[in-house]
Amino acid sequence: SQQGEEDPQALSIQEGENATMNCSYKTSINNLQWYRQNSGRGLVHLILIRSNEREKHSGRLRVTLDTSKKSSSLLITASRAADTASYFCATNGGQGGSEKLVFGKGTKLTVNP
Amino acid sequence: DAGVIQSPRHEVTEMGQEVTLRCKPISGHDYLFWYRQTMMRGLELLIYFNNNVPIDDSGMPEDRFSAKMPNASFSTLKIQPSEPRDSAVYFCASSSLGNQPQHFGDGTRLSIL
């Protein structure tokens, strides 16, 4: 079964707006990672947040982690049409063990120009 | 730097035929992962290797699937005999450590007729 579950399944916004995607998981984790997948391509790693961290930034990306609620969020600020992609959270540790990543089913983001 | 290289990018074959998918991981990465992605089931881990040794093959769907890693720069995933339900995108990924970000290839889109 999937460890991470993203919400919403699909999101459509206008260029310049912020996009927020959420991820919930079920068991304890070592870290949580966010990946991006453009159509027809492989996944690309965006950001990793450790279980003892609460917030992390990378450029226009902001990730939060709440281990008490077993949830994470990915915020993309000032979105661009090029941000159109599917975004996946993946958990490391817990039921997957320390070496395996368990992926959610993703949020499909569409940024309209 | 070359990323993870998969071949072929597309494969169309008839049911019952043998299919071999190939992967070249990033040089120096000790971990190699094989995934399958479908709309219904999302991204599933099939098997992973550490230093060319299979560590966990619990995700391999059945005996028709086999994977090998004869050396640090090459891995194969074989399906024999293939069935229409095997149609999916198969990804290979590698990482330097087990709990670190994974680098994905662009996948092989497999269609079994």
Side-chain angles (χ1 to χ4, degrees), chain A residues 8 12 22 30 39 58 78-79 105:
Chain A
S12 181
N22 303 297
N30 293 330
S39 180
S58 177
S79 64
K105 288 194 175 181

Side-chain angles (χ1 to χ4, degrees), chain B residues 8 10-14 17 19 108-113:
Chain B
H10 302 274
E11 175 91 12
V12 180
T13 192
E14 293 186 346
Q17 296 296 307
V19 173
T108 295
R109 183 172 295 275
L110 178 64
S111 296
I112 309 297
L113 306 177

Side-chain angles (χ1 to χ4, degrees), chain A residues 64-83:
Chain A
T64 61
L65 179 64
D66 187 335
T67 53
S68 67
K69 295 181 180 178
K70 293 186 169 58
S71 67
S72 174
S73 67
L74 170 67
L75 169 68
I76 304 174
T77 60
S79 64
R80 306 166 182 168
D83 294 328

